Structures are given as structure tokens and as C-alpha cells.
Amino acid sequence: MAVQFLKHIALEIAESDCDKAEVFYTAFGLELRRNSLHMGFACQGRQYDSLILIPGSDRKRLHHVAMGTDIAGLAAIEERLAAAGIEILSMIEGFNNGGLWFRNPHGLLFNVQVCERERDVTPEAPFLINSPGHYNRINAGAMPPKSELGEVVPRKLGHTLLFTPHLQESIDFLIDVLGMRLSDRSQDAVAFLHCQGGSDHHVIALAQSSAVGFHHASFMLATPDEVGVGGREMINKGYEKGWGFGRHAIGSNFFHYIQDPWGSFIEYYADIDYIGDSDNWEAQNWPLEDSLFTWGPNPPEDFVRNYESE
Ligand SMILES: [Fe+2]
């Protein structure tokens, strides 16, 4: 009786930023579906928009996080909200979905709605590597010529990382009210939470800051090669500031981040840990030196800067 998946993240932006937002996210591989009130960016062939931009703000800031559940899940969350004394807000203009709107203790706006969990991504050929004693790819090369690579196609929205002014209270809210589970954390700096019933290692991650804010949204690619190719393509398109290619320790994913027009990030990932059964996953509290990555270039100096707090 909990949230089942991350549906979208909505950001407010300035009207004057709409064009550069469109160029940036379509360069990343998302498709634009516009309506009269906002811009929705979706993975090709997916039902739901993953990123929604609401023009008209004085600057970019996190607007809300939308999660999906079923009828019983919504009823259970409504009960827990009442028990916690959290006010249910009225519908937000432009988002007429019948779900519940409410804020966490730090003002972060959530929407939980009854909606069918989108089918999982279409299965693809497994990534095969030759390793000592294991010749998994025989009589076949791994890479096509560069000219035949084509552009990478994000398969689905995987997770988001949000800033919070109080890490533990934000963790408690996601667990106690939304029914999520802690996957891992690193001291009082960062925490990673997943949905019960089969989930990527993290669906919502939280980083300690002085205020609420959006850090990044992350999209699945099929292989580490695609993460490398996608990151390189974004550099070739002029988006040189980012971080990658590298691999995280917490969640194990290969990553390449690209800085968006507002100083936050978007991430390509592959090979993230999968938690099939929350009861058989033991959350670890990782040392701070493991909180960011295992290998890769050093992150840019503003990688964990919350521009929304300024
Ligand atoms: Fe990420």
C-alpha cells in the first residue's frame, strides 16, 4: 500500500528559457509533447511525460514530484497523511488527474495519483563481455563503426535526486507516508529510496542542502557503451559541462551527467542494482568517500551545489 513508481518531475522555468530547454532535452533524446500550459518531455514510445516544464516563473525551481499507485495505495496514503496531520491541497492548475496533492515537512510538493504502472522496458539483447575464463562473445565484435552508431534513445525515467534541508525527516516522510524503503545511505549527506514490489535501487534520492531543490533526473540506457556514447554526443552538441563517464558505488550504475541550462543535471545510466524484494535487501550506511563514485573523472566543483537555494 505504497507508491509504485515515479511518474514525472515538474520544474518551473522562465518563459524565456523555453527554447533552450527544448533544444537541450531533445538533444538528450527526449521528445517534446507540448500543451497550452506546459512542456512535457517523454522517452520515445512511452506513455507518460517524464519531465514537465511549467513556464512563467522568475527562475528555474522544483515544482512537484508525481508518483503513481493503485486505488488501495492511494487510500492508504490518504489515511497516513491524515494520521500525520498533513493537509491535502486542492488540485493544481493544469494537472487535473484526481490524485492527492500535499507537501512534505519542508514544502516539497508531491502528487500521488492512481495510474497504471507503465509496462517495463522492452527486453533487449544482453550486454556480453569477455572476461578471464568467460568468453561470452565469440566470433563477434562489440562495437559497430562510429558512423553506424546513431543517437542514443533513453528507455525510461529511472530516478531523481532532490535536495532537502533535513535529510532524516525527508527519508522518514518517504517511508512512513509514501511507503518507500531505504536502499542505502551515506551518513547524513545522501540517501537512496526505492519502491516496494520490484524497483531500481533508487527511485528518489535525497541530498542534504540548505533548501529544497532539484538536482537531477536520470534516464536508463541499455549498456555502459550507450552511456559513454550518449555523454560524448552531448559534448559534441556543445553541452561540455557534466560528469562522466564513471561508475557509482551506491546502486552500481554507470553514469554520465550533463549540466542543464540552470546548473542542475540530467543523467544517462546503465546497469543499476535492482531490488526484487525489499525484505531481502539490507540497507548500508556507506562512508562519505563512497557516496559519489568509485571511478571516473572528478566531479565539477558545483556538482552538489543547490542553485535553487540562492
Ligand atoms: Fe542518479
Side-chain angles (χ1 to χ4, degrees):
M1 302 301 172
V3 289
Q4 296 175 346
F5 68 102
L6 174 63
K7 186 161 180 273
H8 67 247
I9 303 128
L11 308 174
E12 296 177 82
I13 62 165
E15 192 81 48
S16 56
D17 283 348
C18 289
D19 289 347
K20 65 181 172 190
E22 178 176 349
V23 173
F24 177 77
Y25 290 118
T26 53
F28 182 81
L30 302 178
E31 59 183 31
L32 173 60
R33 301 167 185 172
R34 198 189 291 268
N35 72 21
S36 57
L37 288 173
H38 57 239
M39 307 164 80
F41 291 91
C43 296
Q44 290 174 30
R46 301 291 282 178
Q47 184 180 353
Y48 304 126
D49 295 342
S50 297
L51 263 179
I52 293 178
L53 302 184
I54 308 166
S57 177
D58 55 340
R59 63 194 179 102
K60 168 254 171 185
R61 69 167 72 83
L62 177 61
H63 185 269
H64 72 265
V65 175
M67 307 200 71
T69 187
D70 56 16
I71 292 170
L74 196 74
I77 289 164
E78 190 165 14
E79 267 181 34
R80 295 197 290 264
L81 285 165
I86 294 170
E87 184 190 1
I88 308 282
L89 307 171
S90 53
M91 212 79 83
I92 305 291
E93 191 196 2
F95 295 93
N96 186 19
N97 56 44
L100 297 172
W101 292 89
F102 49 90
R103 294 185 185 276
N104 84 348
H106 314 293
L108 170 54
L109 182 61
F110 279 91
N111 171 231
V112 178
Q113 52 186 272
V114 174
C115 60
E116 201 179 331
R117 189 173 180 163
E118 202 162 2
R119 61 170 172 72
D120 202 3
V121 288
T122 308
E124 299 179 41
F127 182 66
L128 301 177
I129 64 166
N130 293 331
S131 59
H134 303 279
Y135 294 104
N136 295 308
R137 200 186 66 252
I138 299 171
N139 296 341
M143 294 300 291
K146 210 192 273 189
S147 59
E148 291 175 19
L149 272 177
E151 304 220 314
V152 299
V153 178
R155 306 303 199 277
K156 68 164 189 175
L157 170 65
H159 63 265
T160 185
L161 172 63
L162 308 172
F163 290 114
T164 171
H166 199 297
L167 187 70
Q168 188 59 53
E169 287 178 10
S170 291
I171 295 170
D172 292 345
F173 179 84
L174 292 179
I175 293 173
D176 297 341
V177 177
L178 298 191
M180 298 184 76
R181 294 286 190 94
L182 184 68
S183 311
D184 283 302
R185 69 184 295 160
S186 180
Q187 311 307 311
D188 292 321
V190 62
F192 301 85
L193 294 103
H194 65 274
C195 298
Q196 296 184 57
S199 170
D200 280 358
H201 174 274
H202 44 283
V203 171
I204 295 184
L206 300 163
Q208 177 67 44
S209 174
S210 58
V212 166
F214 167 78
H215 182 274
H216 74 262
S218 188
F219 289 82
M220 173 193 269
L221 294 179
T223 66
D225 280 320
E226 288 196 3
V227 175
V229 169
R232 183 68 235 175
E233 278 176 11
M234 288 300 277
I235 292 169
N236 292 345
K237 290 172 184 171
Y239 300 106
E240 289 182 7
K241 187 140 178 219
W243 183 36
F245 175 67
R247 192 163 200 181
H248 288 302
I250 306 176
S252 305
N253 47 311
F254 294 92
F255 65 80
H256 192 118
Y257 296 84
I258 303 102
Q259 195 164 43
D260 68 24
W262 309 281
S264 39
F265 291 87
I266 197 160
E267 180 188 16
Y268 291 123
Y269 77 89
D271 194 21
I272 200 166
D273 294 339
Y274 185 78
I275 299 177
D277 170 6
S278 302
D279 292 336
N280 286 309
W281 175 271
E282 204 173 322
Q284 309 288 322
N285 190 359
W286 292 70
L288 277 179
E289 63 260 33
D290 291 323
S291 63
L292 267 178
F293 68 131
T294 300
W295 57 260
N298 288 325
E301 61 19 82
D302 63 346
F303 186 70
V304 287
R305 182 162 161 188
N306 182 3
Y307 284 98
E308 291 177 47
S309 71
E310 294 164 15

